[in-house]
Structures are given as C-alpha cells and as structure tokens.
C-alpha cells in the first residue's frame, strides 16, 4: 500500500559524466517502484533516457532529472539543463530526421510516446539558474 499519494516529486542533480544518464534511469525505476506505479516504468524510462541523453550530448553544463506525479497513475519526467536553447526535435513544426540519419530521432520519439510534452525556457545564455526544462507526461492513457 502506498504511503504517499500524489502530488510528489524528486529531483536528482547530475554531474557532467557519461554514467549520469544511466544512474538517473536506475533512480527513476526505484522511485516508480517505491510509489507502486511499476506499470509506468517502461514509458517513463524511455522518456527519461531520451531527454537525459539529449542534455548530455548537446549541452556543456550540469543537468538534472525531475520526476513528479501530479495525480494518481500519472508521471511527469523532466530534464533541466543549463542551455536555454530548445532543441529543434522538440518543437511541433520540426519534421522527422531522415531514415538513414544516425542521430536526431530521440526527441521525436519522446513526442510520439508521451501523452503530453512541454518546455520552459528559464533564462538566456550565461544567466544564473537559467537553462530550460523539457518535460514529458505518461500514464494518461498511452498504449504500450
């Protein structure tokens, strides 16, 4: 029986380290198991993996994973990083990467698999505590 009902949230600040996205995904699995929503793990882990990898590959600063549950059976996976630029693959009007492209499909995958996505730009280059927060929701009825 769950002892904490939504809303709940966790933030994991990550160092600039190639192992950080894997550590964050493991932490996400533990959080979802502790809150007794293991059925959301496949979707949430995929969303987190893509968002974390994007931040690690395309930014030069720190990043963080945020996991929250605004209501029962729903989870928002968010990744903050220090770069305020929104990646092209996260905008609504950007087309898919060519089928033979080696990179560039991750954020399209996030948009396709999430129930809802969004972005908040938190500042401009060099602004303290700026950057952006990309988020994706799952658990609102998406079929896996």
């Amino acid at each position: 029986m769950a002892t904490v009902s939504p809303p709940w949230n966790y933030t994991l600040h990550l160092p600039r380290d190639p192992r950080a996205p894997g550590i964050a995904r493991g932490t996400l699995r533990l959080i979802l198991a502790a809150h007794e929503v293991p059925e959301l793990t496949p979707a949430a882990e995929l969303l987190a993996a893509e968002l974390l990898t994007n931040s690690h590959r395309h930014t030069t600063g720190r990043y963080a994973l945020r996991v929250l549950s605004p209501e029962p059976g729903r989870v928002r996976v968010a990744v903050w990083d220090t770069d305020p630029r929104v990646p092209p693959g996260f905008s609504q009007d950007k087309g898919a990467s060519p089928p033979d492209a080696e990179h560039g499909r991750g954020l399209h995958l996030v948009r396709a698999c999430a129930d809802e996505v969004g972005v908040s730009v938190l500042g401009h280059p060099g602004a303290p505590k700026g950057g952006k927060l990309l988020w994706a929701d799952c658990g609102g009825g998406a079929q896996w």
Side-chain angles (χ1 to χ4, degrees):
M1 176 186 335
T3 57
V4 177
S5 59
W8 50 260
N9 71 74
Y10 297 87
T11 301
L12 176 64
H13 294 274
L14 298 157
R16 181 106 192 108
D17 183 306
R19 296 167 290 203
I23 291 167
R25 289 190 309 271
T27 302
L28 171 67
R29 285 190 297 272
L30 290 172
I31 291 168
L32 297 178
H35 284 281
E36 299 180 357
V37 287
E39 67 278 7
L40 298 179
T41 301
E45 189 172 3
L46 178 132
L47 297 171
E50 295 300 334
L51 293 174
L52 287 161
T53 299
N54 187 71
S55 285
H56 184 76
R57 290 182 58 105
H58 300 291
T59 67
T60 58
R62 304 175 323 271
Y63 47 97
L65 172 68
R66 184 159 189 224
V67 183
L68 60 112
S69 180
E71 59 189 59
R74 191 166 182 85
V75 170
R76 175 168 289 175
V77 175
V79 173
W80 166 85
D81 63 49
T82 57
D83 187 341
R85 294 174 295 168
V86 177
F90 213 70
S91 64
Q92 293 285 5
D93 56 345
K94 177 71 176 169
S97 297
D100 59 345
E102 290 186 26
H103 303 289
R105 292 190 206 99
L107 295 179
H108 297 290
L109 184 59
V110 168
R111 290 189 51 216
C113 295
D115 296 323
E116 191 174 347
V117 298
V119 61
S120 295
V121 176
L122 307 171
H124 53 82
K129 297 186 182 181
K132 69 179 168 298
L133 182 75
L134 299 177
W135 57 267
D137 286 354
C138 62
Q143 300 297 314
W144 278 84

